[in-house]
Amino acid sequence: MHKQLGYDSERDFAPIALLADVPNILVVNNDLPIKDFASFNQYVKANPGKLSYGSTGIGSSMHLAGELYSREFGAKMVHVPFSNPGNATTNLISGEIGLMFQLIPGIASQVKAGRVRAIGVMSPQRSPALPEVPTMVELGAPELMSTTWFALLAPKGTPPAVLQRVNVAANEAIADPAVRKRLGELGATPLGGTPKQLADHLSAEIERWGRIVRDAKIEVK
């Protein structure tokens, strides 16, 4: 998306550990005749180019999640980027936009209050923040995985002993029941793991989302 980023995520950093990820969740306006994922797909196909979905900007995880759905299901929807997340949510509730692929912490309270309808969580497991909402895997769409993940990295050339020490500390923190409970309440899934696992994840994510960015010709200027 960025033609002159100034750094290379794999070349210029030393991976330490994945910390947690926050899934996107498909939510729709209550007035739409959509009750589940099947009726969502039917409605999108019956109304090509008429449904709009909001995001927090071009290239955001919400935008890319929408492009992922459109790519996998051959859907035609209109992307509406907002500079303020609160404005996007307000427009979703009012019906100015029909849906969002929101991040769970940003919409969980609205789902619980019944102001918007949750369709599916874009991760392999249900979210502790919204345990009643099925995953896309359960709904038969395992290809619709989209999360914002957090990790620790250091400058390239950091001594291996330092990387290992920080990795151990990070994993100990993530294993703490109180930390895991708090992350779950925020809608995040605790991760942890080895530097190699983070390196593999980073590489796979760059490849996966890079294809979608190139196919959709997304560019951040």
Side-chain angles (χ1 to χ4, degrees):
M1 292 186 291
H2 300 269
K3 301 305 179 185
Q4 296 181 344
L5 191 57
Y7 64 87
D8 183 285
S9 300
E10 295 181 279
R11 182 192 63 217
D12 297 331
F13 298 101
I16 297 175
L18 278 163
L19 300 179
D21 66 7
V22 177
N24 293 81
I25 179 172
L26 171 58
V27 289
V28 300
N29 175 266
N30 281 336
D31 293 333
L32 291 176
I34 296 170
K35 304 299 181 184
D36 52 29
F37 190 57
S39 58
F40 174 76
N41 290 328
Q42 292 169 358
Y43 192 84
V44 172
K45 288 184 178 180
N47 296 275
K50 295 181 180 180
L51 265 180
S52 58
Y53 70 97
S55 80
T56 52
I58 295 173
S60 65
S61 71
M62 302 174 205
H63 178 201
L64 295 185
E67 291 291 349
L68 173 65
Y69 172 79
S70 297
R71 172 193 172 109
E72 296 295 337
F73 284 80
K76 293 183 179 180
M77 300 186 296
V78 178
H79 173 229
V80 181
F82 290 82
S83 58
N84 185 308
N87 289 343
T89 300
T90 299
N91 278 264
L92 173 64
I93 294 171
S94 69
E96 295 297 316
I97 56 176
L99 62 127
M100 289 183 71
F101 297 88
Q102 237 302 15
L103 291 168
I104 284 180
I107 203 69
S109 62
Q110 306 297 340
V111 172
K112 292 176 182 177
R115 298 188 184 99
V116 297
R117 183 175 297 117
I119 302 300
V121 177
M122 303 177 80
S123 68
Q125 60 281 320
R126 294 196 181 199
S127 169
L130 293 170
E132 72 283 359
V133 182
T135 69
M136 287 299 179
V137 174
E138 293 175 83
L139 297 172
E143 66 274 27
L144 296 183
M145 296 293 102
S146 177
T147 68
T148 292
W149 49 271
F150 301 86
L152 287 175
L153 300 101
K156 201 73 171 181
T158 300
V162 174
L163 299 177
Q164 180 61 23
R165 182 176 178 183
V166 179
N167 174 270
V168 170
N171 279 287
E172 287 176 350
I174 293 167
D176 187 306
V179 173
R180 299 182 72 84
K181 181 175 183 293
R182 182 58 179 149
L183 286 171
E185 291 170 349
L186 293 171
T189 301
L191 295 175
T194 67
K196 176 67 163 53
Q197 287 173 318
L198 170 55
D200 291 345
H201 183 70
L202 177 61
S203 179
E205 287 283 88
I206 290 173
E207 173 61 25
R208 178 173 181 246
W209 293 108
R211 288 196 304 269
I212 292 171
V213 168
R214 288 189 293 271
D215 289 350
K217 296 180 173 59
I218 300 170
E219 184 176 348
V220 178
K221 298 180 180 179

